[in-house]
Amino acid sequence: MNILEQINLNETPQHIAIIMDGNGRWAQKQGQDRLFGHNIGVESVREALKGAQEIGVKYLTLYAFSTENWNRPRAEVEGLMDLLIRTIAKEVDELNESNVVISTIGETSGLPDSAQKELQDAYDRTKDNTGVNLILALNYSSKWEILEAVKKIAANVKDGNMSVDDIGYETIDLNLNTKDIPDPELLIRTSGEHRVSNFLLWQIAYAELHFTEVLWPDFKREDLYKAVLDYQSRERRFGMTSAQITK
Ligand code: IPE
Ligand code: IPE
Ligand code: MG
């Protein structure tokens, strides 16, 4: 049986988040510039998206550029921004045709103007689609997102719009960039690194974590299916006992 056939389609996660890591190492292993790895990584984005569409995942969030990634050498940052602009411009027609809704999380106002323009065009053109929600985390970090939420909530209390006792988990949910998006049930990180690197810290409170040695440019839809199978083999207890879950 191939991997796809082993997946229980009634129990696929509705939201998968991916930390796409290992582009630089992939390129350097073959004596190429790191940017070459980023370029080939775009093909893996297509693979992950096709895989998600195939098994009925509703939300796919991809960590594409972190707040901390600005600290990389200037040429790499410029190359990544250029790649982002070119890729969105090139892919938006096909994404629209396959009914994908494009959105972002992160401080996109900090991106180059031309990237913001391409993104706005992508949101506008795909907003009425009904297929997979492709969410790009751009200039994103979870601590930034939580800090912004805290500031908004504090301002609401200060202005008398709410009291401290009104603040609940939902208040925080609703003030995050992900307010319209359910929490991911599955988080995948490629390249063998076992860390979260400031990604969706609040939202992954109960996500299943799947780490793979595969470097992002080698990632194929079968790797997504493997992660989903791994997810389906887990017992999600949410603090309860195994006996409570299986009864
Ligand atoms: C992930 O690959 C892409 C981004 C962070 C933009 P890396 O560029 O981090 O690749 P490695 O981890 O150095 O191999
Ligand atoms: C995380 O990868 C960010 C993205 C995938 C965009 P990094 O390669 O930047 O993470 P660290 O620095 O190894 O933790
Ligand atoms: Mg990395």
Side-chain angles (χ1 to χ4, degrees), residues 19-28 34-35 37-38 63-66 69 72 76 80 189-191 193 195 215-217:
I19 302 174
M20 310 184 286
D21 198 17
N23 293 350
R25 276 165 284 167
W26 183 89
Q28 281 167 337
R34 293 177 55 87
L35 278 172
H38 296 313
Y63 203 6
F65 194 85
S66 76
N69 287 147
R72 291 189 177 197
E76 181 168 347
L80 279 165
R189 183 170 188 148
T190 58
S191 90
E193 307 296 352
R195 58 175 170 266
L215 301 172
W216 182 251

Side-chain angles (χ1 to χ4, degrees), residues 67 70 105-111 138-141 144 148 177:
T67 309
W70 294 111
I105 55 172
E107 195 172 18
T108 47
S109 60
L111 297 172
L138 292 168
N139 194 17
Y140 175 87
S141 87
W144 164 80
E148 289 301 305
N177 289 191

Side-chain angles (χ1 to χ4, degrees), residues 39 59 66 82 200 216 222 234:
N39 275 286
Y59 299 86
S66 76
D82 186 51
L200 301 175
W216 182 251
E222 286 73 23
R234 311 271 181 96

